[in-house]
Amino acid sequence: MNLADCSSHSATARLLHFGSPGAIYLRRFVGSLHVGRCGSNPTHVKTLRLRSNPPKTLTVTEAELAASAKIIDGKMVAKEIRDEITTEVSRMKDAIGVVPGLAVMLIGERKDSATYVRNKKKACESVGINSFEVRLPEDSAETEVLKFISDFNDDPAVHGILVQLPLPKHMNEQNILNAVSIEKDVDGFHPLNIGRLAMRGREPSFVPCTPKGCIELLHRYGFQIKGKKAVVIGRSNIVGMPAALLLQREDATVTIVHSRTQNPEQIVKEADIVISAVGQPDMVRGTWLKPGAVVIDVGINPVEDATCPRGYRLVGDVCYEEARKVVSAITPVPGGVGPMTIAMLLSNTLSSAKRIHNFQ
């Protein structure tokens, strides 16, 4: 039974992760740990005796030990990335007098889109990136949107352009996204960027933010991708398809599961890494998952819950309570992939400014 103390300070909370069968949190215990086992039945207890002064002993059942996968904390990682970006933005400003700038366009009155734009603006302010915001009414002409994009393409103070999706139905999404200069396409949706992402030996200027955040979480938590079997659930242009391309670039063997896939649970069951982005609450059950798999849950779905002040709660595509008893690690919803998406947008904007001004 493997034991790892993931704390760097004796007075802080320690995550004691057992390679099998699970993990348990012990807070404010100091000293070495002795683990004893009583019987082989999962309901039997384990005794955990800490050689401290005075000695401390804890007893838990194996079922309790098995009930907690490692939590992949997107909030924590996103904060680390924002801190790194803040340092780089300040260094760039001091060295060459340039501050990265992000332009965000919102067309229409969707409340969720307005919330996303507001959060992006706050995130820019928190790291020192300038933000430029354009809000247009729902019935705006497509030519008006294209004029703003053209102006931002030519504005040297703007290094990234983001058009908040979805657009009003009368607008051609492809025309509008294609109008964004590839050098400022920080969303990574320009067809040239996607094409380069798909080709070996080519490098896109930018990678779409949400899938980039998924891979960054795997990297920062030290999960091996090379040689692993990975399944991406969903094939959208925004998440599923680019996530599969990124995993392939990392030398994973990748399968995409979609709405026409037969026996999806059998395919998912073989995966060492699962990235789910379908927008179906609790679709992926614990029985679908391979023991010890790593799960990145991109879904964020509202479900009715009268006990919550808002009348609903947010859940992922993966049934969290079932999955955490099977897998080795999983992202929570909320607090997993969501914060990483905005962090990657800020990272792409900084990278754009550095590239445009040839700043290392």
Side-chain angles (χ1 to χ4, degrees):
M1 186 178 301
N2 299 321
L3 180 68
D5 182 351
C6 301
S7 171
S8 60
H9 193 286
S10 61
T12 60
R14 294 185 177 186
L15 169 62
L16 302 172
H17 180 73
F18 294 79
S20 175
I24 185 171
Y25 288 93
L26 301 178
R27 297 189 179 276
R28 294 192 176 278
F29 283 126
V30 181
S32 59
L33 178 69
H34 170 79
V35 181
R37 181 169 183 167
C38 303
S40 57
N41 190 304
T43 60
H44 288 176
V45 301
K46 290 180 180 294
T47 61
L48 297 94
R49 187 172 70 254
L50 293 103
R51 297 192 182 113
S52 56
N53 189 15
K56 303 179 180 71
T57 301
L58 238 130
T59 60
V60 292
T61 67
E62 272 204 24
E64 289 172 325
L65 283 172
S68 295
K70 178 184 288 186
I71 305 303
I72 301 174
D73 190 341
K75 281 186 178 179
M76 179 190 71
V77 175
K79 183 181 183 306
E80 291 175 358
I81 293 170
R82 290 198 306 271
D83 290 344
E84 294 164 6
I85 292 170
T86 301
T87 300
E88 284 298 288
V89 168
S90 179
R91 185 173 72 88
M92 188 175 185
K93 181 180 180 181
D94 292 343
I96 62 173
V98 172
V99 176
L102 174 66
V104 180
M105 297 187 63
L106 175 64
I107 302 98
E109 305 297 331
R110 284 178 61 111
K111 290 184 179 180
D112 56 347
S113 292
T115 299
Y116 295 146
V117 168
R118 185 167 59 251
N119 290 341
K120 288 164 185 173
K121 184 176 182 179
K122 288 181 180 178
C124 284
E125 294 172 352
S126 73
V127 299
I129 290 177
N130 290 333
S131 63
F132 306 88
E133 184 179 329
V134 171
R135 293 186 178 229
L136 297 174
E138 183 89 16
D139 60 355
S140 297
E142 186 173 312
T143 53
E144 187 177 2
V145 176
L146 292 173
K147 178 63 169 62
F148 274 104
I149 292 175
S150 178
D151 290 344
F152 284 137
N153 283 339
D154 296 334
D155 189 341
V158 174
H159 305 97
I161 301 170
L162 183 149
V163 180
Q164 184 65 46
L165 301 178
L167 293 168
K169 292 181 179 180
H170 69 279
M171 292 188 181
N172 187 311
E173 180 180 299
Q174 182 173 321
N175 288 345
I176 289 174
L177 294 182
N178 288 359
V180 175
S181 167
I182 191 171
E183 288 81 14
K184 298 184 179 184
D185 173 40
V186 290
D187 246 349
F189 294 151
H190 194 287
L192 284 177
N193 274 324
I194 294 295
R196 290 172 181 171
L197 181 63
M199 297 177 70
R200 292 174 61 86
R202 305 289 180 90
E203 291 300 323
S205 298
F206 304 99
V207 173
C209 298
T210 298
K212 182 180 179 181
C214 295
I215 302 301
E216 188 69 18
L217 284 174
L218 294 173
H219 284 165
R220 297 227 175 192
Y221 270 83
F223 297 118
Q224 183 177 342
I225 303 175
K226 184 177 181 178
K228 298 296 184 179
K229 291 182 179 180
V231 167
V232 177
I233 308 175
R235 53 179 172 176
S236 72
N237 290 336
I238 296 174
V239 183
M241 182 268 294
L245 293 174
L246 284 170
L247 287 165
Q248 188 168 280
R249 278 180 165 248
E250 297 275 345
D251 294 321
T253 301
V254 184
T255 302
I256 297 177
V257 168
H258 51 77
S259 59
R260 300 294 184 267
T261 300
Q262 295 183 8
N263 301 317
E265 61 274 15
Q266 294 180 15
I267 297 171
V268 175
K269 187 81 170 181
E270 298 178 359
D272 304 302
I273 298 169
V274 177
I275 296 180
S276 184
V278 289
Q280 296 294 327
D282 292 339
M283 184 189 84
V284 180
R285 314 302 300 194
T287 55
W288 289 33
L289 298 165
K290 178 181 180 179
V294 176
V295 176
I296 306 293
D297 191 350
V298 181
I300 181 162
N301 311 293
V303 295
E304 291 184 6
D305 189 338
T307 65
C308 296
R310 295 176 295 185
Y312 68 91
R313 57 188 170 88
L314 298 175
V315 302
D317 296 340
V318 180
C319 183
Y320 182 82
E321 290 303 316
E322 293 178 7
R324 72 189 185 96
K325 299 174 183 178
V326 179
V327 303
S328 64
I330 187 171
T331 55
V333 177
V337 176
M340 292 296 294
T341 298
I342 293 181
M344 294 298 99
L345 174 64
L346 300 176
S347 175
N348 281 352
T349 303
L350 173 62
S351 296
S352 177
K354 285 184 171 183
R355 186 184 298 118
I356 290 171
H357 294 280
N358 195 28
F359 182 75
Q360 301 297 322

